[in-house]
Amino acid sequence: MYTTNAARGLPRHRSRYPAERYTRWALRALVATLVLALLWLVLAFHLNGQWMFALLFLVLGASMAVVFTRRTLMSHRYIFPAVAGLGVFVIFPLLYTIGISFSNYSSSNLLSEDRVRAQLMSRSYQEEGAAFPFSLHREGELVRLYLEAEASSELDEAMAGARRFVSAPLNLANEEARTIDVQPVEAPPQAEPLAMREVIAARGALQGLTLVTPEGVELRMAGMRSFAPMLDRYEARDDGSLHDRRDDRVLTPDRETGFFVTDDGERITPGWPVAVGLDNYTRIVADPDIRGPFVQIFVWTFAFAGLTVLFTLIVGFVLASLLQWEQLRGKAIYRTLLILPYAVPAFISILIFKGMFNQHFGEVNMILDSLFGIRPEWFTDPWLARTMLLIVNTWLGYPYMLLLCMGLIQSIPKDLYEASAVDGGGPVTNLLKITLPLILKPLTPLLIACFAFNFNNFVLIALLTGGNPDILGASTPAGTTDLLVSYTYRIAFQDAGQNFGLAAAIATLIFLLVAGMSLLNLRLSKVKV
Amino acid sequence: MAMVQPRSIRARRLGAHLALIGFVSLIVFPLLLVISISFREGNFATGSLIPERFSLEHWALALGIPWERADGSVIQPPFPVLLWLWNSIKVAVVSSFLIVLLATTSAYAFARMRFKGKEPLLKGMLIFQMFPAVLSLVALYALFDRLGQLVPWLGINTHGALIVASLGAVALHIWTIKGYFESIDGSLEEAAMVDGASTWQAFRYILLPLSVPILMVVFILAFVMSIMEYPMASVLLVDEHKLTLAVGAQQYLADHNQRWGNFAAAAVLSGLPITAAFLICQRWIIGGLTAGGVKG
């Protein structure tokens, strides 16, 4: 075999041709820019506290810098982009998924602890105990708002002792949300306060108002008679806990569960993701509401993939044997028509079947009704739904087997059949003693690949049944036709609870299975590198 | 040719033809049905394969033209099918182009050069390409979510993210191109390098022009795979006007409101070009697919 060391091929010296020199410099500049851009990403992710991503781009940027500066790694420059793509979009997500499976990452534990703290600190509440009854006083076309505190309260300090406030004249026809300053005064305005009827009429405008005292305390409307101050609900303490001023209790961060908890154990959402060890895995094994559906889906996934391979192989093999028969004319037309299901985009043909199997207006039930008088409930009965999936998937998948079998049967030497015919062997003998044994061996790795593909046939399930009908009594979204992949997808993206940790744990189990199949495949097919 | 032939060959031939014709009509029925439905009036029309009440309503709607019914009511197109098709084609063209670019350079190195880590890399690629992207969706979503905060055109709900994410699936194509490169004799490049060409020049001016056919095949293959890609697009794209066809098309058959007729027209409109392209290039595509052992 012909090989070369790429480093030897490139001239070391400064090129004589200006165009080549400029190209070389342009390439160097491009690589340098890319490396700098990656390092900027590293810094940005690091500052955001997302060390996994920072590490990813650090590795990427560093390896890029090394590969493109060292002459001994010249050959690696050619493969770097593809390997980087594989690393960032296949291997990193895989590792990240495995990492998530040991955490409680979910829609309730999504943000980092700092962000959760910041979000809680920005919450405010209305201190209704320190309400300011208000009245409206007309002044020409406009209206002044006058506030007077009922009694002394703990807020007196924050208000610098002021108890009476008045606003500038306002136009109450304006209902937009706005912020308005109020000034302390000694006495109420001269004009008579407006009647309750008019206050109610101005309700829309009043609700949009935020009043700010000179000391910066915000007041908002609290009922038809008073405004009340908006205060920061939580106050940070030095030991990391938060003081809840409204309910007067202390929230301590619980780094085991990723929530702030009160003394009586109440969890305050949102939380942040924390490592939970093997919890997600033990839940799959121990929690009966998860284990039951999981086992059921697991068995169905294997059955689905196995039966699909079996059915498509039988159909494909029979058709291939027929099409190999020399006496048959019009093979090309048959072949083209037979691989049509393969040529139509799967997402279209699956949806066509979804319409055809519709229980009320679908053509399948119409034909069955007129022939046998039955209307099977394809989408509500679990066994019928599974049957439908297998029918559709056989339709989708047999052309692949047909093509494989045709290729393999063609490569069997014809004189074997001649010899068999001379010895009086019939078609059955030919099939069992010659054809099958000779094609089964090269077919095995492809069958495994086909099994693995259907094991993870997400598109079919997602588009045809969506996993329905549901398994009763499951605590996660689980359907009787769900495969493991679509089950993981639904746990992660469909449910309101979006439990990424649990989904990642199941995904990790599937990774192991796929890796097993893939290694087996590699061994059986004896790939030459 | 077979020398020894059993008797009753005509009966068996007839039987084979009948069986094949029966099977083919069963297989083709759904496809013919959809074409027929796309010309029927209304969304739940039933009838024979040749429509009794011919109507172009669904086709007009699929092409984005409002349709006026006989009773004077005007129906607006329910979904922007042409926009979805355009999105799909845009994403597929750009990502296939990038995939060919990446796969070609790496395949060249794998086919012609000797370097450290070559064998494990090649085998690793074969193993990793079997892992379905659906399982890593959480991680990919998180990755693009965070990236999008720093680089807006790579965030969730952008086509950039979808294109970039498709670059992970180059392994299969590297193997295809590598196989082709290995079938070309290396002496031409050797001669060029003796005459002073660099490795890159030998690759660019000697090997590449010889490999245009396989590059076309890989391009078409990557194009078809990208058009059919569903899981990643369903998570990364959100807005209706950003969707690709594979994600958008299912909205016609939502559980509560099935627009069977409108779907049929949209399906034929968008499926026909892809099917035709597949059939025209079937010889090369099938070679590539059966070698890799998967169909996306």
Side-chain angles (χ1 to χ4, degrees):
Chain A
M1 202 180 114
Y2 164 78
T3 54
T4 173
N5 180 2
R8 210 177 44 200
L10 258 175
R12 252 167 210 284
H13 55 80
R14 191 163 168 267
S15 174
R16 275 177 294 153
Y17 307 104
E20 201 179 322
R21 258 189 350 242
Y22 295 141
T23 325
R24 219 175 278 168
W25 276 107
L27 283 175
R28 277 174 204 160
L30 181 71
V31 169
T33 324
L34 280 174
V35 170
L36 283 178
L38 286 172
L39 290 181
W40 175 74
L41 277 179
V42 173
L43 196 67
F45 276 124
H46 177 72
L47 292 178
N48 280 351
Q50 286 146 353
W51 63 270
M52 285 269 288
F53 295 104
L55 193 66
L56 167 71
F57 287 104
L58 184 66
V59 169
L60 193 66
S63 55
M64 188 168 181
V66 169
V67 167
F68 280 92
T69 46
R70 294 187 60 119
R71 297 188 63 85
T72 48
L73 295 178
M74 191 65 79
S75 305
H76 294 82
R77 291 184 192 180
Y78 287 82
I79 59 165
F80 182 81
V83 173
L86 197 73
V88 176
F89 300 113
V90 178
I91 297 173
F92 171 77
L94 205 146
L95 296 176
Y96 190 82
T97 305
I98 295 174
I100 294 175
S101 76
F102 297 104
S103 78
N104 64 351
Y105 191 49
S106 64
S107 58
S108 63
N109 298 60
L110 199 62
L111 306 168
S112 67
E113 186 181 343
D114 291 339
R115 293 269 294 278
V116 169
R117 192 177 282 271
Q119 207 180 76
L120 289 177
M121 293 299 287
S122 70
R123 282 189 192 172
S124 56
Y125 75 105
Q126 203 160 29
E127 177 62 62
E128 288 179 19
F132 287 77
F134 71 92
S135 53
L136 299 175
H137 302 266
R138 194 173 292 286
E139 193 169 308
E141 290 287 291
L142 305 175
V143 163
R144 269 185 200 273
L145 193 97
Y146 170 69
L147 303 168
E148 182 172 338
E150 276 170 331
S152 63
S153 70
E154 53 186 293
L155 274 168
D156 280 356
E157 203 176 321
M159 298 287 194
R163 306 251 314 267
R164 298 183 174 120
F165 296 93
V166 73
S167 74
L170 302 170
N171 177 10
L172 290 183
N174 180 359
E175 297 203 349
E176 284 169 31
R178 40 193 175 152
T179 306
I180 292 195
D181 289 328
V182 288
Q183 300 301 331
V185 285
E186 290 302 321
Q190 298 297 321
E192 278 296 300
L194 296 183
M196 197 61 196
R197 186 166 36 83
E198 289 171 87
V199 175
I200 293 172
R203 193 177 60 228
L206 292 172
Q207 276 168 348
L209 292 181
T210 305
L211 308 179
V212 184
T213 69
E215 281 72 36
V217 176
E218 292 184 356
L219 300 131
R220 289 182 66 91
M221 197 174 175
M224 288 315 299
R225 292 179 188 282
S226 60
F227 272 69
M230 302 295 297
L231 300 176
D232 285 341
R233 181 159 174 193
Y234 297 103
E235 186 182 22
R237 295 197 168 171
D238 291 340
D239 60 352
S241 62
L242 299 176
H243 176 232
D244 182 350
R245 281 158 54 182
R246 193 186 76 180
D247 301 339
D248 193 25
R249 54 187 184 175
V250 175
L251 310 183
T252 40
D254 181 351
R255 299 208 162 77
E256 300 278 303
T257 59
F259 285 102
F260 278 105
V261 286
T262 61
D263 292 335
D264 50 359
E266 191 196 331
R267 290 176 177 182
I268 308 297
T269 52
W272 61 93
V274 290
V276 294
L278 290 170
D279 272 12
N280 288 317
Y281 296 92
T282 43
R283 272 180 80 191
I284 298 172
V285 184
D287 185 344
D289 290 345
I290 295 179
R291 186 185 54 207
F294 179 80
V295 170
Q296 197 180 336
I297 290 170
F298 192 84
V299 172
W300 161 239
T301 307
F302 269 92
F304 170 80
L307 288 175
T308 298
V309 172
L310 187 70
F311 292 158
T312 52
L313 180 64
I314 291 174
V315 175
F317 179 75
V318 169
L319 288 172
S321 312
L322 264 178
L323 287 183
Q324 283 319 119
W325 193 24
E326 290 109 351
Q327 302 288 329
L328 204 70
R329 292 226 188 120
K331 275 183 216 159
I333 298 171
Y334 282 131
R335 183 172 176 271
T336 308
L337 287 174
L338 283 173
I339 63 164
L340 260 183
Y342 203 34
V344 179
F347 67 89
I348 286 180
S349 36
I350 294 170
L351 288 174
I352 291 176
F353 277 105
K354 186 175 179 186
M356 279 178 62
F357 276 99
N358 186 300
Q359 285 160 209
H360 307 294
F361 352 86
E363 277 68 18
V364 173
N365 271 9
M366 233 169 269
I367 292 168
L368 287 178
D369 197 21
S370 60
L371 289 182
F372 309 106
I374 48 168
R375 304 186 71 89
E377 300 183 315
W378 296 106
F379 286 94
T380 40
D381 182 275
W383 286 106
L384 282 173
R386 287 172 184 157
T387 314
M388 172 179 72
L389 280 174
L390 284 172
I391 293 173
V392 174
N393 208 26
T394 307
W395 187 91
L396 287 168
Y398 84 85
Y400 178 63
M401 290 295 176
L402 169 68
L403 292 167
L404 286 181
C405 291
M406 275 173 72
L408 290 170
I409 292 178
Q410 235 154 21
S411 66
I412 299 175
K414 291 286 168 291
D415 38 349
L416 288 179
Y417 294 103
E418 291 293 315
S420 154
V422 169
D423 288 347
V428 180
T429 327
N430 284 352
L431 177 72
L432 292 179
K433 301 278 172 167
I434 303 174
T435 318
L436 272 184
L438 278 173
I439 68 165
L440 219 48
K441 199 163 174 242
L443 206 55
T444 314
L446 295 163
L447 291 183
I448 294 174
C450 185
F451 184 88
F453 173 75
N454 282 299
F455 193 86
N456 297 310
N457 198 338
F458 171 74
V459 180
L460 176 72
I461 306 295
L463 291 183
L464 194 55
T465 65
N468 294 321
D470 278 334
I471 294 175
L472 298 176
S475 63
T476 50
T480 42
T481 59
D482 259 325
L483 299 182
L484 283 172
V485 261
S486 60
Y487 180 48
T488 349
Y489 179 88
R490 287 174 73 181
I491 293 176
F493 291 104
Q494 224 174 40
D495 184 23
Q498 297 205 327
N499 196 336
F500 299 125
L502 184 65
I506 298 175
T508 307
L509 294 179
I510 307 177
F511 281 142
L512 291 177
L513 287 169
V514 173
M517 287 185 235
S518 160
L519 282 173
L520 183 69
N521 197 1
L522 207 61
R523 173 144 320 161
L524 284 174
S525 56
K526 295 198 188 71
V527 177
K528 267 197 238 101
V529 176
Chain B
M1 261 334 264
M3 300 284 185
V4 189
Q5 287 184 353
R7 283 154 291 154
S8 73
I9 195 97
R10 286 185 64 178
R12 281 169 62 186
R13 199 153 48 192
L14 191 69
H17 273 296
L18 283 180
L20 275 174
I21 289 171
F23 190 79
V24 165
S25 38
L26 200 66
I27 291 302
V28 180
F29 174 71
L31 304 175
L32 292 180
L33 183 72
V34 163
I35 297 176
S36 155
I37 286 170
S38 74
F39 289 109
R40 285 180 197 165
E41 208 170 41
N43 264 327
F44 300 108
T46 55
S48 62
L49 269 183
I50 297 156
E52 294 108 12
R53 298 177 65 189
F54 188 81
S55 154
L56 284 175
E57 175 187 337
H58 303 309
W59 277 89
L61 293 178
L63 290 168
I65 309 163
W67 177 261
E68 195 181 335
R69 283 213 176 134
D71 57 7
S73 58
V74 175
I75 306 163
Q76 293 298 323
F79 301 112
V81 189
L82 288 180
L83 183 66
W84 288 343
L85 187 61
W86 168 238
N87 286 343
S88 279
I89 291 175
K90 199 167 59 179
V91 170
V93 165
V94 178
S95 67
S96 322
F97 179 75
L98 290 175
I99 283 176
V100 168
L101 200 72
L102 296 193
T104 314
T105 51
S106 349
Y108 176 63
F110 281 125
R112 290 284 195 259
M113 294 172 193
R114 199 184 298 154
F115 54 88
K116 252 186 227 161
K118 177 172 155 179
E119 192 167 325
L121 267 175
L122 274 171
K123 282 198 172 165
M125 282 184 170
L126 265 198
I127 292 178
F128 280 115
Q129 69 145 5
M130 276 179 83
F131 290 98
V134 196
L135 294 175
S136 319
L137 277 182
V138 175
L140 281 171
Y141 185 87
L143 176 65
F144 285 112
D145 188 35
R146 308 284 150 76
L147 258 180
Q149 291 164 10
L150 303 171
V151 193
W153 57 270
L154 274 181
I156 298 298
N157 205 13
T158 59
H159 291 147
L162 198 57
I163 290 169
V164 170
S166 70
L167 297 184
V170 285
L172 171 72
H173 305 303
I174 290 178
W175 273 86
T176 313
I177 303 179
K178 174 181 161 280
Y180 188 86
F181 281 169
E182 279 168 353
S183 72
I184 297 179
D185 190 13
S187 52
L188 272 175
E189 293 146 70
E190 219 163 34
M193 283 163 79
V194 168
D195 287 346
S198 68
T199 316
W200 172 256
Q201 284 166 330
F203 167 60
R204 167 73 187 76
Y205 295 106
I206 308 292
L207 190 60
L208 219 50
L210 288 174
S211 329
V212 172
I214 193 74
L215 299 189
M216 292 299 294
V217 170
V218 168
F219 184 86
I220 295 167
L221 208 63
F223 185 86
V224 169
M225 282 182 173
S226 168
I227 291 265
M228 296 189 187
E229 205 286 327
Y230 174 80
M232 213 122 73
S234 78
V235 167
L236 291 183
L237 302 178
V238 183
D239 292 347
E240 191 181 81
H241 68 274
K242 290 267 173 107
L243 296 185
T244 59
L245 195 64
V247 184
Q250 61 165 327
Q251 296 196 3
Y252 278 105
L253 298 182
D255 288 331
H256 48 278
N257 182 17
Q258 300 211 340
R259 305 161 188 270
W260 197 196
N262 291 338
F263 165 74
V268 178
L269 174 72
S270 51
L272 215 54
I274 301 170
T275 311
F278 191 99
L279 287 179
I280 291 167
C281 314
Q282 58 168 307
R283 187 179 312 167
W284 305 292
I285 294 183
I286 287 163
L289 284 175
T290 45
V294 274
K295 185 200 177 196

